[in-house]
Amino acid sequence: MASRGEESNSGPYTDKFETVLRAEYDAILDRRRALGVDASKDTGGKPASVAKGDPAWLFGVALSGGGIRSASLCLGALQALDQYKLIPRIDYLSTVSGGGYIGSAMIADMTRQELAPAKSGKRKRPDFPFASGDDVRDNALVGHIRDNSRFLAPRGFQDITLSIGILMRGWMVNVLLLLTLILPLATFVILTNPTTDHLGHSIVLDVANWLFGDDWGKAGWAASLRSLVANPFVLSRSMMVVLAVWLVVWGLRRSYTDSYAFARKGERLEQDSRWAKGGRTLLLVTAGLLLIEIQPKIILWLIEVTSPKAGHRQTTMETLKVLITAAAAIVTATAAFRGILISWLQKALNSPGIGHQLRGYLARAAFLALGLALPLLIYGFFLLITIWGIKIFSPITIWGFDVSWLFGRDSGYAYGPAWLTADNRVLFTILVISMALFLAARTFVVRYLADDLAPGRLSGFFGAMRHDYSGSVVIKVLLLVACSAIFAVAARMAKGVWQHDESTVLLNYLAISAIVTMVAFNFTENANGLHRLYRDRLRQA
């Protein structure tokens, strides 16, 4: 492309659209003259859709998408145009998806036909490659397309297994991407709740105990303060109070500005005011804190349910198996009775009868359960990996001996696998070394083998952070990291004694979250789905 002020083959640079458009029309006329197509034959009435000043003889064809079906339909449409000798008159060809494959195949073959004559200085009108003529038999190209109509599995079982492998690759990528959300959330819950004792009170109490000692607030007014701080929902309740005060003050301000005309001068729109944006922020923060603080209660309930004091001890995995079985049953039942449920919905929409309305509500409930099946499974998996890292601390002692096992109760990391909860730093060390090796290997591949000197995805991400976000965002992130570090230390100090095993489990979770996020961050969007196989198979056909 010529730069500003430079001459190119088509003349000097211009940024005027009309000039470029007229040059494009001249190029189309030159092409038509070279192929012997006369534009003057299109002098019929000018369609209303043609813009003022544009020639009425322009001819464009659009080929829609839809995979092999679209490619087949568009092939027939192009053959019909060829029967009426209209292919050479096509000035513009717009294609998408399946229509793009048959369109590009036509252009590729016709371009190939033009290459040899063009070298000798001649220009010959190319033949339409898929012409059927008067013969009912297919020509070689159309026969190839028809023979490869099973384009996704042309070689049968071999291609089916290959597709399954590609599908499993996509599943694995999606699982890792999902873990980049679940693992940090689970790590944060474990960070603030290393044992089951911590699930019953707020992290603010742990911080206060760390700063003032475990014996503070045993009597007097401090006891009331300790009770308030220990409440598991102290943060969300405090934020609710702040939100309520904000709304009252906002309401008073709105009342005064509406009562006195001079106060409305220069007033912004309701939705653009700082008060509205502040109220939205406080509402989101309150909802987020409530969602965070309710998780320990759910986890504690799940541990109590799955750890009965006597009899058979049901594990969390067994509980989640029940959840998975229930979700699978919902999906299977909804899929099996899909037709009946849809008919119930249609009858409920068209009939006022109570019976049809009730069946319609039942069908809606079934489809709603189907939509919630996958989110519930994901949430169940989040609870599972969270419980793995929480130490059960509910000993029953007799004369100083722990006899919890006599009552079917277990202590320690009863749910977590040994490789994750072992009181050593072997797993953490292996993960840190693996992260370093991964970064080194990635740098070698990208910088040397691919000969790509552009910044990596991680570097580009931090560059975008510096460019797109203000310093306040960086300060908020640093404050979050600092608060998390304080929470982690305070929650692992029991009567001034550092709990080594709890810190080891936290480090393991942090390292796993870091390496999963690091690997998932290098995945390219839409690079591992079936659409790539679909595209390549269709292109080959």
Side-chain angles (χ1 to χ4, degrees):
M1 178 181 293
S3 61
R4 293 179 182 269
E6 294 181 355
E7 296 288 332
S8 65
N9 294 333
S10 58
Y13 172 84
T14 179
D15 56 3
K16 295 182 179 180
F17 176 74
E18 290 296 330
T19 304
V20 176
L21 187 60
R22 296 304 158 188
E24 182 176 305
Y25 291 157
D26 293 338
I28 293 175
L29 282 172
D30 291 340
R31 183 194 69 84
R32 285 198 170 202
R33 293 191 190 100
L35 297 177
V37 179
D38 189 359
S40 63
K41 292 181 180 179
D42 286 83
T43 55
K46 187 174 181 179
S49 59
V50 177
K52 183 178 180 180
D54 290 344
W57 46 262
L58 288 175
F59 184 39
V61 174
L63 304 181
S64 66
I68 191 65
R69 294 170 299 176
S70 174
S72 303
L73 177 65
C74 294
L75 171 61
L78 291 173
Q79 288 176 326
L81 291 175
D82 177 65
Q83 291 287 333
Y84 289 94
K85 310 300 181 185
L86 294 175
I87 294 295
R89 288 175 53 192
I90 298 177
D91 301 312
Y92 296 95
L93 183 66
S94 175
T95 66
V96 63
S97 189
Y101 290 102
I102 194 66
S104 60
M106 178 186 72
I107 296 300
D109 190 81
M110 296 177 75
T111 302
R112 178 185 58 80
Q113 296 180 43
E114 287 184 316
L115 288 179
K119 292 180 180 179
S120 60
K122 300 178 181 179
R123 194 162 189 176
K124 175 181 175 293
R125 177 185 294 188
D127 296 325
F128 177 64
F130 307 122
S132 57
D134 297 329
D135 196 342
V136 295
R137 294 176 299 176
D138 294 330
N139 62 19
L141 293 180
V142 177
H144 170 80
I145 294 176
R146 192 183 301 278
D147 293 339
N148 288 272
S149 59
R150 293 184 58 201
F151 66 99
L152 283 178
R155 293 174 294 180
F157 181 76
Q158 181 178 355
D159 289 325
I160 292 176
T161 54
L162 180 63
S163 300
I164 293 175
I166 295 175
L167 186 63
M168 293 177 66
R169 180 193 66 185
W171 288 345
M172 181 58 66
V173 170
N174 288 328
V175 167
L176 285 177
L177 292 175
L178 185 62
L179 286 176
T180 59
L181 174 64
I182 292 179
L183 275 173
L185 293 177
T187 302
F188 185 78
V189 174
I190 294 169
L191 183 146
T192 54
N193 301 277
T195 70
T196 51
D197 278 355
H198 293 80
L199 295 172
H201 61 257
S202 171
I203 184 63
V204 180
L205 178 63
D206 295 319
V207 176
N209 290 340
W210 179 47
L211 294 176
F212 307 113
D214 292 340
D215 295 330
W216 78 277
K218 296 298 184 180
W221 63 269
S224 300
L225 179 60
R226 182 185 179 93
S227 176
L228 178 65
V229 168
N231 190 287
F233 299 97
V234 60
L235 294 177
S236 56
R237 286 185 175 183
S238 302
M239 192 55 61
M240 286 180 185
V241 173
V242 175
L243 176 60
V245 173
W246 181 276
L247 295 176
V248 170
V249 176
W250 184 15
L252 290 173
R253 184 183 185 279
R254 175 57 57 196
S255 299
Y256 290 147
T257 54
D258 279 1
S259 299
Y260 302 98
F262 69 89
R264 294 198 295 268
K265 294 181 179 179
E267 186 181 17
R268 295 183 179 181
L269 296 175
E270 179 77 11
Q271 64 271 18
D272 294 332
S273 66
R274 292 192 182 95
W275 289 91
K277 293 179 180 178
R280 179 190 61 186
T281 302
L282 290 175
L283 179 61
L284 292 176
V285 171
T286 303
L289 288 175
L290 182 60
L291 185 63
I292 292 173
E293 290 183 330
I294 204 174
Q295 298 308 312
K297 286 293 185 182
I298 296 175
I299 294 171
L300 183 60
W301 171 81
L302 184 60
I303 291 177
E304 291 176 351
V305 168
T306 57
S307 298
K309 293 181 174 60
H312 172 67
R313 179 183 180 277
Q314 185 183 20
T315 64
T316 306
M317 183 61 73
E318 291 173 344
T319 303
L320 291 177
K321 284 180 180 178
V322 175
L323 180 64
I324 294 172
T325 304
I330 293 173
V331 173
T332 304
T334 307
F337 298 100
R338 182 181 67 250
I340 297 176
L341 295 174
I342 292 175
S343 67
W344 284 0
L345 284 174
Q346 292 173 342
K347 291 178 181 178
L349 292 174
N350 299 323
S351 174
I354 297 178
H356 290 307
Q357 293 293 329
L358 291 177
R359 284 193 289 268
Y361 289 136
L362 178 61
R364 291 188 183 95
F367 284 118
L368 179 62
L370 177 63
L372 292 175
L374 182 59
L376 286 176
L377 285 178
I378 295 174
Y379 181 64
F381 183 64
F382 160 75
L383 292 177
L384 173 65
I385 62 177
T386 302
I387 292 176
W388 281 356
I390 295 178
K391 183 167 65 175
I392 298 177
F393 189 74
S394 55
I396 300 176
T397 59
I398 299 178
W399 297 319
F401 295 98
D402 187 356
V403 293
S404 303
W405 57 275
L406 290 175
F407 298 89
R409 300 181 68 171
D410 205 348
S411 59
Y413 293 98
Y415 292 99
W419 57 267
L420 180 65
T421 58
D423 189 12
N424 56 62
R425 302 292 170 85
V426 175
L427 177 62
F428 176 74
T429 304
I430 292 174
L431 291 174
V432 171
I433 295 175
S434 299
M435 282 189 283
L437 292 176
F438 176 81
L439 287 175
R442 182 199 175 282
T443 302
F444 174 78
V445 170
V446 173
R447 299 291 183 178
Y448 295 95
L449 298 184
D451 194 24
D452 183 8
L453 300 180
R457 292 175 62 86
L458 196 58
S459 302
F461 171 75
F462 287 116
M465 286 287 291
R466 290 194 301 269
H467 180 269
D468 297 336
Y469 296 99
S470 61
S472 63
V473 176
V474 177
I475 294 175
K476 292 175 184 176
V477 172
L478 293 177
L479 285 176
L480 177 62
V481 173
C483 291
S484 299
I486 294 174
F487 293 162
V489 174
R492 281 154 185 81
M493 294 292 291
K495 296 188 180 300
V497 179
W498 178 253
Q499 304 299 312
H500 187 272
D501 57 340
E502 297 171 10
S503 63
T504 300
V505 172
L506 176 61
L507 288 176
N508 289 341
Y509 270 82
L510 288 172
I512 294 174
S513 300
I515 194 169
V516 168
T517 303
M518 186 183 302
V519 173
F521 201 86
N522 287 269
F523 290 134
T524 302
E525 297 81 0
N526 299 324
N528 294 282
L530 278 178
H531 79 282
R532 197 177 190 89
L533 175 66
Y534 175 88
R535 182 199 66 185
D536 293 342
R537 291 292 193 198
L538 189 56
R539 182 178 62 183
Q540 185 178 13

